[in-house]
Amino acid sequence: MDILSLPRPSWMTEDLVLLEEQARRFIATEYVPHLDRWNEEGMYDREVWSKAGVAGLLCPAIPEEYGGAGGTFAHEAVINRELSLAGFDAFGAPLHSGIVAPYILHYGTDEQRRRWLPGLARGELVGAIAMSEPGAGSDLQGVRTTAKRSGNGYVLSGSKTFITNGQLANLIIVVAKTDASAGAKGVSLMVVETDNAPGFRRGRKLKKLGLDSADTSELFFEDVKLPPESLLGTEEGQGFAQLMNDLPRERLIVAVHAQAMMERALALTIDYVKERQAFGKKIIEFQNTQFTLAECKSEATIARVFHDHCIERYLNGALDTVTASMAKYWLTDLQGKIIDRCLQFFGGYGYMEEFPISRMYRDARVTRIYAGTNEIMKLLIARSL
Ligand SMILES: Cc1cc2nc3c(=O)[nH]c(=O)nc-3n(C[C@H](O)[C@H](O)[C@H](O)COP(=O)(O)OP(=O)(O)OC[C@H]3O[C@@H](n4cnc5c(N)ncnc54)[C@H](O)[C@@H]3O)c2cc1C
């Protein structure tokens, strides 16, 4: 789907073009035929993960020595984009590959990397990151979950909510306080293997406005005993700094998602208005349609140029938090506007479940909320003024 009249970006090398084709074919064959069923059942199948692992679509940027594909963020961006272009926005792979695995790679000991990364790459382990709590989302310093020293290990207590991959995850990075009196310096990341963790309990799979087949859930930790090597890295109190360091990539992942969704919306709408007729004309023949879609295409093109700029900067190690926050806030806001305007051209059909634009309208709303709300993005940008 290339709806924008732009040359291929310079970060998109020949091997990435091949990966794009391979991912597109795989998603079309293995996932797309099941999307309606998964949405109706409110959950996609567990084997989605193992199939993605076998196809090499998980952890593409993790080095080969730890079981990954040895690529870069560009490989992730290509795969994530294809998932969105195909309408599988509910799949938690971008978080698994682009957030959970990199925390382990960047901050884990060599032993922790060898223990967890190969399983994540194969889809045997499903990753989640549990930051948000019923009482603390934007203000992460307010988390109340604690990891208290006990013997040579820890006891983890607290509850988390809104956790992506919450029903299927069996490797969960939990943001917890190892020292409740030390503010941000008392926060640590604890890695919980849930397959044999008495006291760990999954709560409800939450009913949501969109992303119907995603298993966003509550999680409970009731005095879960953890071995000492559950602390990510070797030093307590590093959690907040670790979270902050990795935020630009997380924001870029959401921006890539937003860009792909707006391009898909535009493509679906252009096809529709060329077919549908009213007053003896195709809908595209009305000047209002042409002008509105011309605006949408212009804005999506401008967004894509900034998106590619941010990817290139990230690949060169030069994407700062302020620019990444701009990408997250501005592209997700634009995504909402474009999808809304596109939906209008479908008339009543735009409101009907069987038309993908309707689901996209619901699915898109969350990108302005998660991975740091857009208001938090503006706060971060404002600090640079
Ligand atoms: C589908 C979905 C998936 C999610 N996945 C995960 C996940 O995998 N892991 C995880 O940990 N969390 C996840 N979240 C949670 C998400 O990150 C939080 O919802 C988000 O960070 C906002 O936190 P909150 O909901 O507590 O809102 P609050 O922090 O209570 O914010 C409420 C409102 O106040 C505004 N606000 C807050 N502080 C300020 C301020 N200083 N200045 C101006 N405005 C402010 C916010 O922008 C927002 O509009 C997910 C959420 C959803 C909906």
Side-chain angles (χ1 to χ4, degrees):
M1 184 177 314
D2 203 359
I3 201 68
L4 308 179
S5 318
L6 280 172
R8 194 190 285 168
S10 54
W11 61 267
M12 191 81 187
T13 52
E14 284 304 324
D15 73 309
L16 290 165
V17 176
L18 292 177
L19 175 68
E20 183 180 68
E21 284 164 12
Q22 180 213 335
R24 188 170 299 175
R25 264 197 315 271
F26 173 83
I27 294 164
T29 320
E30 298 293 336
Y31 296 159
V32 172
H34 306 288
L35 291 180
D36 287 344
R37 174 172 63 83
W38 292 336
N39 284 326
E40 253 158 56
E41 291 172 357
M43 180 93 190
Y44 57 79
D45 296 338
R46 171 64 178 83
E47 66 171 20
V48 161
W49 288 101
S50 18
K51 281 189 174 173
V54 171
L57 300 187
L58 298 178
C59 302
I62 296 296
E64 286 175 21
E65 62 170 316
Y66 300 118
T72 66
F73 179 77
H75 295 78
E76 271 180 52
V78 164
I79 294 167
N80 295 351
R81 191 174 145 80
E82 288 306 314
L83 286 166
S84 282
L85 292 178
F88 197 12
D89 299 294
F91 189 24
L95 178 135
H96 168 104
S97 301
I99 298 176
V100 175
Y103 275 123
I104 294 168
L105 179 70
H106 297 156
Y107 307 113
T109 61
D110 197 53
E111 205 185 317
Q112 289 174 323
R113 293 175 187 162
R114 291 188 191 284
R115 184 178 175 94
W116 295 317
L117 289 174
L120 288 170
R122 286 193 297 266
E124 288 162 15
L125 291 174
V126 174
I129 176 136
M131 299 178 274
S132 306
E133 299 184 357
S138 302
D139 180 12
L140 276 183
Q141 290 193 39
V143 296
R144 293 170 67 171
T145 298
T146 54
K148 289 189 181 144
R149 280 219 165 254
S150 166
N152 69 344
Y154 296 88
V155 171
L156 185 68
S157 315
S159 58
K160 298 285 180 181
T161 193
F162 305 144
I163 306 308
T164 300
N165 300 338
Q167 294 297 311
L168 295 177
N170 51 359
L171 189 80
I172 305 182
I173 301 181
V174 179
V175 177
K177 286 202 165 149
T178 37
D179 181 352
S181 64
K185 294 211 166 86
V187 174
S188 301
L189 302 185
M190 309 302 297
V191 186
V192 184
E193 296 179 24
T194 64
D195 285 343
N196 183 19
F200 166 70
R201 192 163 59 78
R202 300 176 204 273
R204 288 178 299 150
K205 190 186 96 61
L206 299 161
K207 287 194 175 165
K208 309 182 289 302
L209 172 68
L211 300 177
D212 293 345
S213 71
D215 53 328
T216 317
S217 304
E218 299 171 318
L219 301 175
F220 300 100
F221 303 88
E222 287 154 8
D223 297 335
V224 180
K225 288 199 175 66
L226 299 178
E229 59 274 15
S230 302
L231 174 73
L232 187 64
T234 52
E235 211 184 318
E236 288 178 13
Q238 297 300 306
F240 212 75
Q242 291 164 344
L243 289 169
M244 294 303 124
N245 277 342
D246 274 36
L247 286 179
R249 191 185 54 258
E250 297 177 23
R251 272 130 208 195
L252 191 52
I253 289 171
V254 180
V256 169
H257 183 192
Q259 181 70 36
M261 276 186 90
M262 64 178 111
E263 289 179 31
R264 178 172 188 238
L266 205 48
L268 291 171
T269 308
I270 292 169
D271 283 349
Y272 186 78
V273 296
K274 285 183 176 169
E275 288 293 323
R276 178 79 178 171
Q277 299 212 355
F279 299 96
K281 284 181 175 179
K282 301 244 161 80
I283 304 291
I284 187 125
E285 292 173 49
F286 297 114
Q287 197 179 50
N288 174 63
T289 311
Q290 295 172 15
F291 279 15
T292 305
L293 290 180
E295 284 169 17
C296 289
K297 181 167 178 173
S298 307
E299 286 164 343
T301 301
I302 295 161
R304 180 69 194 259
V305 173
F306 185 51
H307 157 283
D308 290 333
H309 164 83
C310 289
I311 292 181
E312 291 209 34
R313 274 178 67 177
Y314 183 80
L315 293 173
N316 293 330
L319 184 68
D320 59 288
T321 298
V322 171
T323 311
S325 303
M326 290 178 190
K328 195 275 180 184
Y329 131 65
W330 196 75
L331 268 74
T332 58
D333 260 18
L334 182 63
Q335 169 198 23
K337 278 187 224 152
I338 287 187
I339 293 176
D340 184 51
R341 279 185 278 174
C342 284
L343 186 149
Q344 187 70 13
F345 288 113
F346 286 78
Y349 293 104
Y351 202 67
M352 296 299 129
E353 185 65 26
E354 63 257 44
F355 278 71
I357 194 75
S358 151
R359 170 172 303 287
M360 292 176 76
Y361 180 80
R362 295 193 287 116
D363 289 352
R365 187 61 184 86
V366 77
T367 60
R368 286 181 260 167
I369 297 170
Y370 65 15
T373 65
N374 283 8
E375 291 71 35
I376 297 297
M377 296 305 106
K378 289 178 199 173
L379 271 181
L380 295 170
I381 299 161
R383 282 186 198 148
S384 72
L385 300 176

